[in-house]
Amino acid sequence: MEPTHHPFHHLFEQLGLDASNEAIKDFIATHQLPANVELIEAPFWSEAQANFLEEGLQEDSDWAEVIDQLNTSLR
């Protein structure tokens, strides 16, 4: 079975965020993280959002690649 590829905007939808191109650009521009803050520890996530991100990375789920992309984008 081939892994599922999730587009970047689907991650925003999964997190309950506005997934329009403009909203994604605005979110990234206004939520930059210092290098010493882990993505899942960012203060702007709800508990449910942080849990989803953490589980996706820990389980190396089909979301892991796009979560890594989000992490890079917020640096």
Side-chain angles (χ1 to χ4, degrees):
M1 187 157 99
E2 198 170 309
T4 303
H5 170 75
H6 295 285
F8 200 53
H9 71 275
H10 284 184
L11 178 59
F12 277 74
E13 291 171 351
Q14 189 69 25
L15 292 168
L17 301 172
D18 186 341
S20 68
N21 288 337
E22 191 63 34
I24 290 171
K25 288 178 189 176
D26 288 345
F27 183 89
I28 290 169
T30 59
H31 292 84
Q32 291 293 295
L33 292 172
N36 65 335
V37 175
E38 295 290 329
L39 176 66
I40 61 171
E41 295 173 356
F44 45 80
W45 300 128
S46 70
E47 185 176 343
Q49 290 169 323
N51 288 339
F52 173 79
L53 294 168
E54 183 176 30
E55 288 173 14
L57 292 172
Q58 285 181 346
E59 297 172 6
D60 197 25
S61 75
D62 55 350
W63 288 101
E65 185 176 330
V66 73
I67 293 170
D68 285 337
Q69 182 183 354
L70 175 62
N71 188 32
T72 300
S73 297
L74 296 178
R75 304 299 168 163

